Amino acid sequence: MLAKFIQKLRKKHNLTQEYLASALGISRPTYMQIERGERELTITEAEKLASIFGIPFEDFRRAKDSSITVEIKKEKLKPKSEKQEIRISVPQKNLEKFKEVLLYVLSKVGGKPNVGEAVLYKLLYFIDFDFYEKFEEQFIGATYIKNHYGPTPVEFKIVIDDMIKNGEVVKVEGKYFNYLQRKYLALRRPNLDILSGREIEHIDDVLARLSDKNAKEMEIYSHEDIPWKTAEDGKPLSYESVFYRNEPYSVRNYEDEL
DNA sequence: TTCAAAGGTCTTGCTACTAG
DNA sequence: CTAGTAGCAAGACCTTTGAA
């Protein structure tokens, strides 16, 4: 049945209930009801899960139909007032990691003239997706949306605002050639205890490869990557699709394994 | 063995609906 | 229009698990 199917996928991807609940914008107990078959999925929830798991939405329908005949719950009409705006919640643990990665990246390359917000987004994207390809594990595990200029981490705004408030980074607006550029500078050292040696090495590797590209070059570069190409506009990029990457994007040597 | 994180359950409060 | 109620979601709390 669908509930078990979702649970299996979650475990296969090493994700927590907390993480998926926040990705769906619901509380953990509510998410639990889904895994226990006590609550139906809304269409948009099913779509989100499908994209997180990197499987076609159709597979959910099939898993569902193989049980009995119950309709996927109709999307409830939102209560008229405020509540409308999209809520993005970040699990505490990932937030810590996001912060430290950000500080680490900023402390290493934040001072480079080419590294503004746009380049930062893409560096984070490659850090996350390359890590997933190499180790089949989530690193920061941020959600990257397909935007006109490239992959955009949806959690970025929340995290950076929080950090500015706490005096951990400062925002600087300036010009880079003729473009308005938004830069961030780290005000404290990253806490390296949060990151493993393997993770730091991985970030260093990505930075060495990509941190000298400017926003335009990064944009062009990221637009040829498979996860980008296979995503729909405005929708999250699928982590699973990294396994369909080809040269020069692939960061894993598949022949060595087996 | 201890502690933090994840999983599981109970209770509370809100909203929408209905009968008077 | 109001009081009663059913259903749902979230917070609070408890238990289990696993890493150090």
Side-chain angles (χ1 to χ4, degrees):
Chain A
M1 84 199 273
L2 185 63
K4 284 273 164 284
F5 176 68
I6 292 172
Q7 191 176 41
K8 267 192 199 162
L9 280 170
R10 177 174 65 79
K11 291 190 169 154
K12 187 178 149 212
H13 288 76
N14 269 325
L15 300 172
T16 64
Q17 296 179 339
E18 177 78 46
Y19 177 84
L20 285 181
S22 79
L24 296 181
I26 59 179
S27 71
R28 197 177 52 77
T30 303
Y31 173 82
M32 260 223 9
Q33 291 183 314
I34 294 173
E35 282 196 1
R36 293 164 55 89
E38 293 167 8
R39 180 190 180 280
E40 303 283 334
L41 278 175
T42 64
I43 305 278
T44 47
E45 283 164 359
E47 281 173 350
K48 278 187 197 164
L49 283 179
S51 84
I52 290 169
F53 293 142
I55 63 173
F57 177 59
E58 266 304 296
D59 286 7
F60 272 90
R61 286 266 321 283
R62 237 174 288 137
K64 164 117 261 171
D65 295 343
S66 67
S67 54
I68 325 170
T69 59
V70 201
E71 292 205 345
I72 291 184
K73 188 181 177 186
K74 292 239 176 61
E75 203 65 45
K76 252 197 298 187
L77 288 170
K78 297 266 164 43
K80 55 237 153 181
S81 56
E82 46 269 289
K83 284 202 165 178
Q84 274 286 19
E85 93 273 21
I86 304 161
R87 275 180 303 172
I88 307 162
S89 45
V90 188
Q92 191 59 30
K93 191 180 128 206
N94 293 5
L95 190 137
E96 289 305 310
K97 211 147 207 189
F98 201 142
K99 280 187 174 184
E100 300 311 323
V101 170
L102 207 48
L103 282 171
Y104 185 72
V105 170
L106 289 176
S107 69
K108 291 208 90 173
V109 301
K112 290 192 182 183
N114 61 308
V115 180
E117 190 176 69
V119 170
L120 202 52
Y121 283 172
K122 277 138 217 159
L123 287 174
L124 289 170
Y125 161 72
F126 281 108
I127 287 171
D128 245 347
F129 275 63
D130 288 1
F131 191 87
Y132 194 72
E133 187 190 354
K134 268 198 238 174
F135 306 114
E136 296 181 32
E137 282 171 35
Q138 300 257 346
F139 186 178
I140 311 171
T143 306
Y144 297 85
I145 300 290
K146 181 167 183 171
N147 262 343
H148 184 60
Y149 298 109
T152 311
V154 294
E155 295 89 351
F156 186 84
K157 279 271 176 300
I158 298 179
V159 174
I160 205 79
D161 284 347
D162 192 48
M163 292 175 79
I164 291 172
K165 206 178 70 199
N166 294 335
E168 293 168 307
V169 295
V170 61
K171 177 154 79 172
V172 188
E173 295 195 344
K175 273 197 157 186
Y176 183 60
F177 294 102
N178 287 325
Y179 300 101
L180 174 71
Q181 188 196 44
R182 201 172 294 142
K183 282 179 80 72
Y184 298 95
L185 300 175
L187 294 181
R188 73 161 169 90
R189 308 227 118 254
N191 174 7
L192 298 180
D193 292 343
I194 307 264
L195 306 174
S196 71
R198 180 178 79 170
E199 289 168 347
I200 292 171
E201 202 177 304
H202 172 72
I203 299 175
D204 286 342
D205 177 56
V206 171
L207 295 183
R209 286 197 342 259
L210 304 172
S211 69
D212 286 321
K213 291 184 190 285
N214 64 34
K216 192 74 199 169
E217 288 166 343
M218 277 295 241
E219 186 186 322
I220 295 167
Y221 184 71
S222 66
H223 283 19
E224 288 302 311
D225 198 12
I226 291 291
W228 171 266
K229 284 179 151 182
T230 56
E232 283 177 55
D233 284 341
K235 294 275 172 64
L237 275 61
S238 158
Y239 276 90
E240 291 300 312
S241 60
V242 292
F243 301 118
Y244 300 99
R245 274 174 163 175
N246 37 30
E247 297 295 328
Y249 294 90
S250 181
V251 289
R252 183 163 156 181
N253 192 344
Y254 293 94
E255 278 82 36
D256 287 352
E257 298 170 17
L258 299 170

